[in-house]
Amino acid sequence: MIAYYLRLALRSLRRTPVMTALMVCAIGLGIGASMTMLTVLHVMTQDPIPSKSGVLFYPTLDPLPSDYQTSTWGNPADNLTWPDAMALLRQGKPARQAVMAGGGLLVWPLDAAGRPTEHGGRYTTWQFFDLFGVPLEHGGGWTAADDAQQARVVVLGRDLAMKLFGSTDVVGRSVRLKDTAFRIVGVAAPWSPQPRFYVDLGGGRSFGEADDFFLPLSTAMGLQFDISGNRSSWAETDMQDKLRSPSMTWLQMWVELDTPQQVADYRRFLHDYAAQEHASGRFQRDPDTARLYPLMDWLGHKKLVPSEVQLQLWLAIGFLVVCLVNIVALLLAKFLRRGGEVGVRRALGARASDILLQLGCEAALIGVAGGVLGTVLAQLGLWSVRRRPDGYARIAQMDASMLMASVALAILATLLAGLIPAWRASRISPALQIKAV
Amino acid sequence: MALPLKPILSALRHHRLTAALLTLQVALTCAIVINAGFLLVERIQRIDTASGLVEDELSVVSARGLDESANAAAQQRTDLAALRALDGVKAAAAINGGSLPLSSNIDMSGACASQADFDRAKAARDTRGIAGCISMSLYSGSDGMLEALGLRLLAGRDFTAAEREADKITAVIVSRTLAQRLWPGESPVGKQLYGFEGPVPVVGMIADILSPVLGIGVDDHMVMLTARNRAEISSTYVLRSAPQDRQRVMHAAAAALDKAGPVRLIPEDGQRTYSQIRRNYFQRDTTMLGLLLASSLALLFVTALGIGGLANFWVGQRTRQIGIRRAVGATRRDILRHFQTENFLIVGAGVVLGMLLAYGLNQLLMRQYELDRLPLFYLPIGAAVLWALGQLAVLGPALRATRVPPAIGTRGG
């Protein structure tokens, strides 16, 4: 029966080709625009590390003076000061933990005559690789002893290793970073969670490329390497040792807590630490301002979706709604005009539900065609998004789930849009129509 | 002549739902297009903001020093001499920290018109909200900076060599807007400015230029030039030349810097004309502009097609009625007017609803995205656009209707 209705639908659509093309175009444009923006939103808010996001937590303290006013630049308390990060690292007992900051360095080629190139990487502590499950192609991370001794060891990213040596099997060899020679202890396989949840988020750093190198934070401090990311200071500090100042935040910290008990324990530990610093007079704010964010909550707190992307999404959805209203009106006009045909079929014994099904098929057919067109347009849209210079733009790819979602949305939208007209048409009284014919 | 409203209204009553849907579509389109148009105009104004520099004569070259033991001041002198000797270069100067209008490299500071105000601001850790105090962006560079950037000195003088070489900031030049704000109605030259390095005399006033980043202070023209030139091993040079020479001068400058002195990196993205810097700064606005324009046009297009499509159907459906009306004496003009009036009424209802929706949508956007209030004159403009669009879309089908011969009405079937 459905096959018959589909044939009828095809014939009916072919009778009014301009109208059909118009409806398919409208739904295609609406679906294309909204799926483009939904996909962008999807990649911006996805879980960057599904295997571990449930056990990773981000602790924050609030060492700011009580009269400090946060501005649109962001809250300095989202990062940690050096003394606090080191104290948490020493005193806390999570399963794994790491303190980190971003940095940019000149990396020198092997031949002395060549020019160096600038690369971005991470200064961190030894458990970083285990904490996040960073896969290593060769070698391994470094040890707690390396951290303590400010050892000159480095883990290179795969791309940088290939660029420098043409090979990834380079453990034990040496590389010159800025003005210092480092021993390579490991080479990391490509690892680039998106959003880059572990970095100092915001300012265009939330999405983008993988880190090119990882080296001990203590070593970077010792050699006074450049830090990238926000540094917020709220008191006049000793210029010589700004990074170690108790009144400048710049570090990120992540801890792994595997059970609810561990989470509760760590939360208490964090509160106790804040209370102790409050009692000593260093923290002016209530110890309750100390927080332990689960990973996804942390991403929500940092609001990674720029308002312009939200605005574009609303614009696209508004466009889709207008397209749908347009289709409802056109289908309604079209179906009601066929009162004669419907009347004859009803008089011959078709039930109202048969009519509904027949016209529903016609609406669905338009939906499928519109969905296909919309998916193509969305790919075009995403291609144009990828050409934008923003960090998130490059990862704007449609995965299988989004692809299915867009076709489903197209069919659902047109079915809904077709339902009202079809229902109206199916209620046409047969007697009246036949009389008119 | 009175409009034939009665037959139109009774015809519309037959298509209540369809007409209502079309009205809704027009209303939604109207609401979205009015707000999009408002955003569009705002962005265009933003993108058009003049920087106050001689924009089409400027190009910028950055060189990254690798040898930290190098004598930066000597290097800067050598570089400037080499750059000024290049063919086509009218002026050249070093810019500290690569900080230029719209460059995004910002150096900000707070200062006050009196010591008492400054002490209060310091106690509050903030210059905002303290009377007589203001935060501003700072620019500094080598000698020849005024000439190289095309800055107009309105009063006072440029910095002296001694002031540039001092360890501290010993003199400043303020922008006109900043001067107006700190000392309304008075000349700033000779006044003292109280800031983090103690009181500093104001020696000059320049015409307004923009801040490196827009929208972070009370005014984008709160700008101060400081005398101290901090030569660093990584440096940014700005070159002034005839507009058509910019590309050539820029590449010649990069080559000259590469030859002068120790090994340095002069990356491709460190060579830019000022137009590129401006384009780069407004990249997101340009994208948004394109999107807003494209979606507004697409919306209007879909709506026009919807109106046209429905009118076409109605014409087809009413062929017999039209024939009868023609047969009983209606002119072609009457038929045309019938469809035009019908469209006018539908779009009119949509536009009235749409203006209300547009206003509501603006309220929502104001709350969510801190946008400005929609000026009311956008509403009638939007209404006129949709009305015109409706009449245009209905013209084709309506003309087709006028060609229905009266004989159709008398024929059976």
Side-chain angles (χ1 to χ4, degrees), chain A residues 19 22 106 115 118 390, chain B residues 64 66 264 284 305 313:
Chain A
M19 186 78 145
L22 176 58
L106 284 177
R115 299 263 170 120
E118 173 130 49
D390 306 276
Chain B
R64 182 178 167 148
L66 301 179
R264 289 187 285 186
R284 287 176 169 212
L305 287 181
F313 258 87

Side-chain angles (χ1 to χ4, degrees), chain A residues 261-283:
Chain A
Q261 184 58 44
Q262 285 177 6
V263 176
D265 287 348
Y266 199 86
R267 207 162 249 142
R268 196 170 322 111
F269 156 73
L270 206 60
H271 184 272
D272 289 348
Y273 176 82
Q276 178 197 318
E277 292 296 301
H278 185 69
S280 79
R282 188 164 89 80
F283 285 6

